[in-house]
Amino acid sequence: MMSSLFSGHFDRVNFLAKKWEALSDKNNLKVPIRAIYVVFYNGLATTRMYRMKGFKFPQPLRHIAQNLLPVLAKAEKSSQWNFKSKSSILKAEYLSLTSKKDKAELEYATAISSARSSKFIHEEGMACELAGMHYKHHGHKAKALELLFHAQKCYEAWGSQMKVDEMASIMEGM
């Protein structure tokens, strides 16, 4: 039974991958879907380095703007449902780091809304968490707590007790 389950999952993944490749060829995307996820998480890891005190090298930030955001923008054009929230999350983080506070806040709101409408509860939680940290950094404690609480609820619904505990810990420290 388990063998047929995994076999069915593998067939589904293969079918969707072939469909994506055809779609990406049609839209001149020419980027394998796994590369888009690598771009997204690479960008998030890079923004996380900038959030650490003392990291001030300009090259990784330029890399996000010149290389990573354009790939996600192309992916978003091909599939809003799948990539809008990812693109908005990374764009919001980039804007937040480059002191474009108002634009970042709009992009965080877009990311949260897009993730919610796509039913990506984990990405909704991530967008709320990052937006909460943005607001915390800018001294808006009430808004930060509201977003972090929402992130905690998303992570709870997703089933990640570790992230639920992490959100509780961050909120206690505020």
Side-chain angles (χ1 to χ4, degrees):
M1 187 167 123
M2 289 303 284
S3 168
S4 65
L5 174 74
F6 286 119
S7 174
H9 180 70
F10 178 76
D11 288 344
R12 182 171 159 254
V13 168
N14 260 346
F15 170 77
L16 293 174
K18 286 177 186 168
K19 196 172 179 181
W20 171 259
E21 296 300 328
L23 181 65
S24 66
D25 286 344
K26 180 177 141 188
N27 292 318
N28 292 323
L29 191 56
K30 305 287 188 212
V31 177
I33 193 165
R34 65 190 165 278
I36 293 169
Y37 284 98
V38 168
V39 162
F40 175 61
Y41 289 110
N42 178 293
L44 287 180
T46 302
T47 60
R48 181 70 180 141
M49 286 189 316
Y50 277 96
R51 299 268 183 227
M52 296 169 29
K53 298 211 184 309
F55 190 84
K56 301 208 186 300
F57 300 102
Q59 295 88 352
L61 203 53
R62 277 196 304 265
H63 177 67
I64 290 173
Q66 294 171 354
N67 301 326
L68 305 184
L69 287 174
V71 169
L72 285 173
K74 269 187 158 183
E76 180 185 338
K77 284 181 186 173
S78 295
S79 177
Q80 286 257 329
W81 172 81
N82 197 6
F83 297 111
K84 176 71 175 165
S85 58
K86 293 167 187 64
S87 179
S88 292
I89 288 170
L90 188 57
K91 194 181 305 177
E93 282 290 277
Y94 174 77
L95 292 168
S96 178
L97 287 169
T98 55
S99 301
K100 295 179 176 107
K101 181 180 169 285
D102 294 335
K103 288 181 180 180
E105 291 169 2
L106 286 172
E107 209 59 52
Y108 283 121
T110 300
I112 293 165
S113 170
S114 177
R116 183 179 303 128
S117 69
S118 295
K119 308 272 190 262
F120 294 154
I121 192 78
H122 60 296
E123 287 181 15
E124 183 180 351
M126 181 190 305
C128 287
E129 176 184 354
L130 294 171
M133 299 309 284
H134 166 83
Y135 280 99
K136 178 183 173 190
H137 175 75
H138 289 286
H140 301 290
K141 184 178 177 181
K143 183 70 174 173
L145 284 170
E146 174 190 329
L147 285 161
L148 291 169
F149 182 73
H150 187 116
Q152 185 181 39
K153 292 298 173 198
C154 289
Y155 290 140
E156 187 174 20
W158 188 42
S160 177
Q161 189 59 46
M162 183 180 87
K163 291 299 286 183
V164 169
D165 295 343
E166 182 182 343
M167 293 302 100
S169 171
I170 291 170
M171 289 186 287
E172 283 175 14
M174 290 180 67

